[in-house]
Amino acid sequence: QAAAFSAVERGQHVVIVTPTASGKTLCYNLPVLSRLLQDPESCALYLFPTKALAHDQLAELTAFLEELGLPPVWANTYDGDTPRAGRAPIRRTARLVLSNPDMLHVGILPYHIRWDRFFARLRYVILDELHTYRGVFGSHMANVLRRLRRICRFYGSDPQFICASATIANPAELASRLIGAPVALI
């Protein structure tokens, strides 16, 4: 966690590879929450390959925020299960959005004008379960991430990517190809 935190603090994109249940989540939550505490304008996007994983992580993150005395409304899932009435408030106020690649592709990026506040303040993009983004799905994901980066630049931001995986060969190579930038391996 210390090595990941230091690399992120230096401004590097990182990929963390370590076995399941060894602390990967803390590797990205620590720098993200640190930034959110230091900069009340900053935002982060967490991408998980499935809605279920995003909802599990939201429960864990909400408990963590409450332990720190931070408002749990900082974090919200935004996916196909998000009620229509709840979507606009998330776009307007959320600082941590947990979603999945499909929702990013069809429900967020095409409507980037509605997300202008979020994209202008986006500092981190978390890609969890990096090993799932290979093959055809990986190609799709790389194109979605390129689109995300273009939209962020349009709004004046250039977020850092923090990737995590438990099992993968050549993690730095995969992460670098996905995000289109050099990545430090932790």
Side-chain angles (χ1 to χ4, degrees), residues 99 107 119 150 157 159 161 172:
S99 194
F119 286 125
R150 279 194 310 272
S157 70
F161 283 77

Side-chain angles (χ1 to χ4, degrees), residues 114-182:
R114 295 179 186 169
W115 289 85
D116 59 340
R117 175 202 66 88
F118 185 79
F119 286 125
R121 299 171 181 180
L122 188 59
R123 299 297 172 256
Y124 297 109
V125 176
I126 309 307
L127 293 178
D128 201 3
E129 304 295 332
L130 185 70
H131 60 275
T132 62
Y133 305 123
R134 296 184 295 184
V136 173
F137 184 48
S139 296
H140 167 69
M141 188 66 182
N143 287 322
V144 169
L145 293 175
R146 285 184 190 106
R147 193 165 146 219
L148 170 63
R149 293 187 78 195
R150 279 194 310 272
I151 287 171
C152 287
R153 284 191 299 272
F154 178 79
Y155 289 104
S157 70
D158 185 19
Q160 270 180 275
F161 283 77
I162 305 172
C163 309
S165 181
T167 55
I168 189 170
N170 302 321
E173 180 183 347
L174 175 61
S176 180
R177 284 184 177 183
L178 281 173
I179 69 169

Side-chain angles (χ1 to χ4, degrees), residues 1 5 8 17 24 29 31 40 55 92 115 125 146-147 155 163 173 181-182 185-186:
Q1 286 104 355
F5 188 85
V8 171
V17 181
K24 286 184 296 298
N29 279 340
H55 285 270
R92 283 193 309 268
W115 289 85
V125 176
R146 285 184 190 106
R147 193 165 146 219
Y155 289 104
C163 309
E173 180 183 347
L185 175 62
I186 309 291

Side-chain angles (χ1 to χ4, degrees), residues 54-71:
H55 285 270
D56 289 347
Q57 290 294 322
L58 177 63
E60 185 178 318
L61 188 56
T62 300
F64 194 48
L65 289 171
E66 288 173 356
E67 287 282 323
L68 294 172
L70 299 173

